[in-house]
């Protein structure tokens, strides 16, 4: 232990006296000093046991010199020294909690002094990050609450809000610190709520939504944290008021785009934002951007963790989402030929994506509480699915929303969807196919007619007549994000609501999945390796869809199990590891379904006799109110007794015939076996329905006792001989591949 402490003491002394001796040394060696501090735990031996007194004194002296030096660097004259001091203070505090507890008050005051100066951007960013690390480290320690938290946090908030006007480029770091401060210390943040809210709304007026969307998301998150800080009203009332103002602002923008007034008698609550421009060519895109910004506010409010129960206005939020989804439909079906409506198709993807995001966050935040509102969500989704404007980004967002609701609510949501939407989802998994013609390269000697030789059959032979086929006809599949999102939706339907597909649509989906897999197997090797790796998520989803289709089969459809087994077996050689894992897992999953002797067959409906029996059972169950179970059971027992009595009577009547048959068997001599093939007579099905004892009695009465003239053991007839010509004629079409969706027994033979 003494050696380790002595080595740490020598390192600290060397860094302090040599590498941090003056300003020039700091500029030249700051990176080396930081690497040394981060790589070696130099401050782990404070108050360590098992160390000699002399070594401990030298180590303590070196640590004190280090603290004095970094404190002087924080308040240095140049930006380089202040930057070095801030970074060294941060890493020293993070490595030694004891040094942090001893110097946190002094270091926090020094860092706040740096924020008040006209400093360069890197120094200010490092200072904000260091202050945030200090507050996070001591916020759960009660002994620091009075001296550090309650004294320094309000001062820090005021300094940050005053600094952002002078340095607008620090907006992202300032919003992060304000968000953390409002979340950790809501009571101490109340004096700064108004200024912070004004700062957030300045970014959420829509002017910066296109240029810096991430900054708008941070502003919305900070505003949601401010809503829980309370103030003159409670946190619940402030949150509800903020949500109402966001919805009111969105409604105002919708009315402005549609050139209509508010539906309600009283104007809704709105945020204090600047008025929209007078020119509709500027104001309508500005209104769309403001809708996107207010959507971020609603999402932040619904996803912000709360320490109290919050009443959520689900009806109002879902109504706003439905109105956003109907804006393009209303503009397209309007009888007024207004010039303002010409801009709405251009903004349709942005407006409807805002509606989709609101409905998605409602499902994530409320969970099962959204079940009474699933019909309204389905109507909004149907309005978006009209697809008046072709937008891949909107299609991807719509498929993601469908997948989310199907996985969370299953049939409760799908039952409200129109069947056309399911059909359009199945249509979206179709991809563009590009066919490449075959390229044949002939040899040079083939061009000379004199070099050709004729064989006896009149055909050209020899190596000079053969061409080299470099690539056969290959079909390249063009994947896109819409196909990937549609495959995820189809997978969710197959896993959670498989019966929503009709037999025809299910057959088409399975055929498309198998076709895509087959096309990749044919033309996949012609693709570059990078292209095959980029298409791996699509192929993995195709295999997962095929597995889900097998695990939830359609009872009125031919089984696709033989084709699926072949596809999964071929997928084991895929270049992607993820695809191979999916195929291996699928083969293990469907292994119990496969029978070695009995392949999957067509599952036909029950016969008429079974339907009649089921009708009798249902009739008996329907009359259970008038007839007791005991009466039914007693009737069944009586019928069984009557059947037993009839059997006994038949046995008594047939005793003479049985005795005659026994005497005939005793007198009969069994001849040797004759190796001769016999023809077994075909007995119609209706003959088997006759009682056995009646047949026996009729035969014994009509025929006298005779010796059997045929063998007791029938030898099967040898198979018929088929000529080679007939075989060749029957197999003329064997070279034509015929891949169908119907399973057959011949595939397993």
């Amino acid at each position: 232990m003494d050696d380790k402490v002595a080595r740490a003491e020598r390192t600290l002394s060397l860094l302090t006296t040599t590498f941090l001796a003056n300003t020039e040394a700091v500029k030249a060696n700051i990176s080396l000093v930081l690497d040394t501090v981060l790589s070696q735990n130099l401050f782990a031996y404070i108050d360590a046991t098992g160390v000699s007194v002399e070594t401990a004194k030298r180590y303590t002296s070196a640590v004190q010199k280090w603290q004095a030096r970094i404190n002087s660097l924080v308040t240095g004259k140049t930006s380089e020294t202040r930057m070095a001091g801030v970074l060294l203070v941060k890493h020293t505090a993070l490595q030694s909690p004891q040094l942090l507890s001893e110097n946190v008050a002094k270091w926090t005051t020094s860092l706040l002094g740096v924020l008040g100066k006209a400093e360069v951007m890197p120094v200010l960013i490092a200072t904000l990050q260091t202050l945030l690390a200090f507050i996070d480290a001591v916020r759960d320690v009660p002994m620091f609450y009075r001296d550090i938290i309650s004294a320094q946090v309000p001062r820090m908030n005021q300094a940050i809000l005053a600094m952002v006007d002078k340095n607008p480029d620090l907006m992202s770091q300032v919003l992060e610190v304000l968000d953390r401060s409002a979340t950790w210390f809501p009571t101490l943040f109340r004096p700064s709520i108004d200024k912070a809210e004004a700062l957030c709304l300045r970014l959420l007026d829509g002017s910066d939504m296109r240029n810096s969307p991430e900054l708008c998301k941070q502003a919305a998150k900070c505003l949601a944290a401010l809503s829980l800080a309370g103030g003159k009203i409670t946190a619940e009332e402030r949150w509800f008021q903020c949500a109402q103002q966001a919805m009111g602002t969105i409604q105002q923008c919708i009315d402005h785009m549609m050139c209509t007034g508010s539906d309600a008698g009283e104007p809704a609550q709105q945020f204090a934002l600047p008025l929209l421009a007078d020119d509709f060519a500027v104001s309508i895109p500005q209104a769309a951007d403001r809708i996107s910004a207010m959507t971020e506010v609603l999402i932040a409010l619904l996803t912000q963790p709360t320490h109290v129960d919050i009443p959520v206005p689900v009806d109002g939020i879902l109504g706003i989402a439905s109105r956003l989804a109907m804006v393009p439909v209303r503009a397209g079906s309007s009888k007024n030929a207004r010039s303002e409506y010409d801009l709405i198709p251009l903004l349709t993807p942005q407006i409807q994506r805002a509606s989709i995001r609101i409905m998605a966050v409602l499902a994530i935040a409320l969970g099962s509480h959204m079940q009474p509102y699933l019909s309204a969500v389905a109507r909004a989704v149907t309005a978006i699915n009209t697809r008046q404007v072709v937008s891949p980004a909107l299609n991807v967002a719509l498929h993601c929303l469908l997948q989310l609701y199907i996985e969370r609510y299953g049939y409760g949501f799908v039952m409200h969807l129109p069947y056309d939407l399911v059909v359009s989802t199945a249509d979206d998994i179709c991809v563009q196919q590009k066919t490449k013609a075959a390229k044949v390269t002939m040899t040079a000697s083939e061009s000379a007619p004199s070099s050709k030789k004729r064989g006896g059959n009149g055909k050209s032979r020899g190596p000079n007549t053969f061409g080299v086929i470099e690539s056969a006809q290959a079909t390249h599949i063009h994947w896109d994000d819409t196909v990937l999102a549609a495959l995820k939706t189809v997978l969710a339907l197959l896993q959670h609501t498989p019966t929503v597909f009709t037999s025809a649509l299910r057959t088409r989906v399975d055929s498309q999945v198998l076709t895509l897999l087959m096309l990749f197997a044919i033309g996949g090797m012609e693709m570059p390796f990078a292209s095959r790796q980029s298409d791996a998520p699509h192929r993995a989803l195709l295999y997962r869809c095929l597995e889900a289709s097998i695990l939830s089969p359609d009872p009125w459809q031919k089984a696709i199990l033989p084709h699926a087994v072949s596809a999964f077996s071929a997928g084991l050689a895929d270049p992607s590891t993820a695809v191979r894992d999916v195929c291996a897992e699928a083969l293990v999953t469907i292994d119990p379904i496969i029978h070695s002797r009995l392949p999957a067959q067509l599952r036909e409906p029950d016969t008429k006799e079974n339907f009649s029996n089921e009708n009798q059972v249902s009739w008996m169950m329907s009359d259970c109110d008038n007839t007791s179970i005991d009466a039914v059971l007693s009737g069944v027992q009586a019928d069984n007794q009557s059947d037993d009595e009839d059997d006994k009577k038949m046995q008594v009547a047939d005793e003479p015939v049985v005795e005659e048959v026994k005497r005939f068997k005793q007198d009969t001599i069994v001849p040797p076996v004759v190796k001769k093939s016999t023809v077994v007579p075909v007995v119609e099905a209706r003959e088997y329905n006759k009682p056995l004892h009646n047949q026996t009695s009729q035969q014994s009465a009509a025929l006298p006792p005779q010796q059997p003239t045929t063998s007791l053991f029938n030898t099967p007839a040898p198979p018929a001989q088929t000529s080679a010509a007939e075989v060749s004629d029957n197999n003329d079409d064997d070279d034509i591949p015929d891949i169908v969706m119907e399973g057959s027994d011949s595939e397993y033979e």
Side-chain angles (χ1 to χ4, degrees):
M1 180 62 71
D2 286 343
D3 296 338
K4 295 181 180 179
V5 175
R7 185 171 62 250
E9 180 267 328
R10 289 193 300 268
T11 304
L12 284 175
S13 301
L14 182 63
L15 294 177
T16 305
T17 58
T18 303
F19 294 96
L20 299 177
N22 49 44
T23 303
E24 299 299 330
V26 171
K27 293 180 182 180
N29 302 315
I30 182 59
S31 59
L32 176 61
V33 174
L34 286 174
D35 291 340
T36 305
V37 172
L38 292 174
S39 60
Q40 301 182 21
N41 197 359
L42 301 177
F43 307 101
Y45 307 105
I46 299 176
D47 296 337
T49 59
V51 182
S52 61
V53 178
E54 184 178 357
T55 304
K57 287 182 179 180
R58 290 200 305 268
Y59 178 73
T60 304
S61 177
V63 171
Q64 291 176 356
K65 292 179 181 179
W66 172 267
Q67 296 180 30
R69 183 54 183 160
I70 62 176
N71 289 336
S72 63
L73 291 176
V74 173
T75 60
K77 296 181 180 180
T78 62
S79 300
E80 292 82 0
T81 56
R82 288 193 291 269
M83 182 70 178
V86 171
L87 294 177
L88 293 175
V89 163
K90 177 182 177 181
H91 293 295
T92 301
L94 293 178
Q95 285 193 8
S96 176
Q98 184 174 356
L99 292 178
L100 175 62
S101 62
E102 294 176 356
N103 302 277
V104 63
K106 183 189 300 183
W107 288 342
T108 304
T109 305
S110 302
L111 294 175
L112 290 176
V114 174
L115 293 179
K117 298 179 181 179
E119 197 58 79
V120 295
M121 191 69 59
V123 177
L124 293 176
I125 294 175
T127 303
L128 288 175
Q129 294 177 353
T130 305
L131 278 173
L132 193 61
F134 285 175
I135 299 300
D136 189 14
V138 302
R139 63 188 177 94
D140 294 330
V141 182
M143 61 180 295
F144 294 117
Y145 188 83
R146 180 177 179 180
D147 298 334
I148 305 301
I149 303 301
S150 60
Q152 301 294 342
V153 168
R155 182 185 171 189
M156 180 186 69
N157 297 334
Q158 296 294 335
I160 290 174
L161 290 173
M163 179 188 63
V164 72
D165 295 333
K166 302 177 183 178
N167 301 277
D169 296 336
L170 291 174
M171 188 65 69
S172 178
Q173 289 77 14
V174 168
L175 290 175
E176 182 181 2
V177 175
L178 292 177
D179 181 17
R180 300 287 184 87
S181 179
T183 304
W184 294 340
F185 316 107
T187 305
L188 299 176
F189 201 85
R190 290 177 182 177
S192 306
I193 285 181
D194 296 335
K195 292 183 179 181
E197 183 177 353
L199 175 64
C200 295
L201 292 178
R202 192 172 65 188
L203 299 173
L204 295 172
D205 62 350
S207 58
D208 297 332
M209 192 63 199
R210 296 181 182 272
N211 298 328
S212 54
E214 294 298 329
L215 191 61
C216 292
K217 291 181 181 180
Q218 285 186 341
K221 188 178 179 181
C222 182
L223 186 62
L226 295 177
S227 65
L228 297 175
K232 298 179 181 179
I233 57 179
T234 60
E236 299 91 330
E237 296 174 349
R238 190 174 182 84
W239 188 96
F240 189 82
Q241 180 182 0
C242 186
Q244 292 290 340
Q245 290 175 346
M247 290 187 291
T249 305
I250 293 176
Q251 183 61 46
Q252 180 192 12
C253 296
I254 295 175
D255 296 338
H256 179 79
M257 287 190 294
M258 301 303 300
C259 301
T260 58
S262 179
D263 298 335
E266 299 180 359
Q269 299 180 10
Q270 303 172 10
F271 285 117
L273 298 176
L275 297 177
L276 298 174
D278 296 334
D279 187 3
F280 72 89
V282 178
S283 61
I284 291 181
Q286 186 180 0
D289 294 339
R290 188 169 292 183
I291 287 174
S292 301
M294 292 298 108
T295 301
E296 297 293 342
V297 174
L298 288 177
I299 292 173
L301 288 172
L302 291 172
T303 56
Q304 179 73 19
T306 61
H307 57 278
V308 292
D309 295 334
I310 301 295
V312 181
V314 184
D315 293 328
I317 297 176
L318 194 56
I320 288 294
S322 301
R323 295 188 192 100
L324 289 173
M326 292 297 295
V327 165
V329 180
R330 291 172 56 189
S333 61
S334 178
K335 297 180 180 179
N336 298 329
R338 302 180 65 95
S339 302
E340 291 85 348
Y341 292 166
D342 296 338
L343 295 175
I344 293 181
L346 302 177
L347 302 172
T348 295
Q350 181 181 0
I351 297 172
Q352 291 188 339
R353 278 205 307 269
S355 175
I356 290 173
R357 297 190 66 194
I358 292 174
M359 291 185 288
V361 76
L362 283 174
I364 295 172
L366 301 182
S368 60
H369 297 287
M370 276 294 295
Q371 291 182 357
Y373 307 96
L374 294 179
S375 59
V377 175
R379 288 193 296 270
V381 169
T382 305
I384 298 174
N385 193 53
T386 55
R387 302 186 182 183
Q388 296 183 354
V389 177
V390 179
S391 174
L394 181 61
N395 295 338
V396 171
L398 180 61
H399 283 302
C400 293
L401 180 67
L402 289 173
Q403 178 191 359
L404 175 63
Y405 272 84
I406 291 170
E407 291 176 352
R408 285 182 175 267
Y409 305 107
Y411 284 103
F413 173 71
V414 175
M415 64 181 294
H416 299 291
L417 294 177
Y419 188 69
D420 295 339
L421 193 144
V422 181
V423 174
S424 65
T425 302
D427 293 338
D428 285 342
I429 66 175
C430 299
V431 298
Q432 299 178 1
Q433 302 177 9
K434 299 180 181 179
T435 304
K436 181 181 178 182
K439 181 179 179 182
V440 181
T441 303
M442 308 303 294
T443 59
S445 59
E446 185 181 359
S447 59
S450 60
S451 62
K452 295 182 180 180
K453 297 181 180 180
R454 291 285 179 177
N457 54 0
K459 296 183 180 180
S460 300
R461 291 192 299 180
N464 297 332
T465 61
F466 291 101
V468 180
I469 301 178
E470 292 186 354
S471 61
Q473 186 173 2
T475 302
H476 296 276
I477 304 173
H478 177 66
W479 301 101
D480 55 7
D481 295 337
T482 303
V483 177
L484 182 64
L487 285 174
K488 292 180 180 179
T489 305
V490 171
L491 177 61
L493 288 171
L494 291 173
Q495 290 178 343
H496 300 276
T497 58
T499 57
V500 73
F501 295 101
T502 60
S503 297
L505 184 59
R506 181 67 174 273
T507 302
R508 191 172 70 179
V509 170
D510 294 342
S511 301
Q512 182 65 20
V513 171
L514 286 172
T515 301
L516 292 176
L517 291 175
M518 182 187 66
L519 289 177
F520 175 78
I522 295 175
M525 293 299 104
E526 300 294 333
M527 300 181 183
F529 180 77
S531 177
R532 296 198 301 268
Q533 293 297 323
S534 62
D535 296 340
H538 301 79
R539 298 196 305 275
L541 273 177
L542 287 173
Y543 283 114
R544 291 181 62 189
C545 289
L546 188 59
E547 179 187 3
S549 180
I550 293 174
L551 296 180
S552 56
D554 185 6
W556 308 100
Q557 177 195 4
K558 292 275 187 177
I560 61 171
L561 188 58
H563 306 294
V565 173
S566 301
F568 288 133
S569 300
L572 295 177
D574 195 272
S576 174
T577 306
V579 176
R580 294 197 298 269
D581 294 341
V582 171
C583 294
E585 181 181 357
L587 288 174
V588 173
T589 303
I590 67 176
D591 184 72
I593 306 176
I594 303 173
H595 196 282
S596 58
R597 297 297 181 90
L598 183 63
Q601 300 291 330
L602 174 65
R603 292 171 289 278
E604 298 180 351
D606 293 338
T607 59
K608 295 182 179 180
E609 291 78 3
N610 294 338
F611 279 122
S612 62
N613 294 335
E614 293 178 359
N615 293 333
Q616 292 178 3
V617 173
S618 61
W619 174 77
M620 293 175 62
M621 295 299 296
S622 63
D623 292 345
C624 62
D625 296 338
N626 301 327
T627 305
S628 63
I629 296 178
D630 296 337
V632 174
L633 294 178
S634 62
V636 173
Q637 294 176 358
D639 294 339
N640 294 336
Q641 292 178 1
S642 62
D643 294 340
D644 295 340
E645 293 177 358
D646 294 339
D647 294 339
K648 291 181 180 179
K649 291 180 181 180
M650 291 181 182
Q651 290 178 3
V652 172
D654 293 340
E655 285 182 358
V657 179
V658 173
E659 293 295 335
E660 184 67 20
V661 172
K662 289 182 179 180
R663 184 184 62 79
F664 168 74
K665 288 184 178 180
Q666 292 177 358
D667 297 339
T668 302
I669 300 174
V670 179
V673 177
V674 179
K675 296 183 179 179
K676 183 179 180 181
S677 62
T678 59
V679 179
V680 180
V682 179
V683 182
E684 296 183 359
R686 60 177 178 268
E687 295 183 3
Y688 287 106
N689 297 331
K690 297 180 181 180
L692 181 61
H693 56 82
N694 292 336
Q695 296 179 7
T696 307
S697 61
Q698 293 176 4
Q699 293 177 1
S700 61
L703 299 176
Q706 296 180 2
Q707 292 183 357
T709 59
T710 59
S711 172
L712 297 179
F713 301 93
N714 295 331
T715 305
Q721 299 293 331
T722 305
S723 62
E726 295 177 354
V727 174
S728 62
D729 293 339
N730 294 332
N731 297 333
D732 288 340
D733 297 332
D734 289 346
D735 56 344
I736 300 177
D738 188 10
I739 298 178
V740 296
M741 283 300 303
E742 300 178 356
S744 60
D745 297 344
S746 61
E747 298 177 6
Y748 289 88
E749 296 176 356

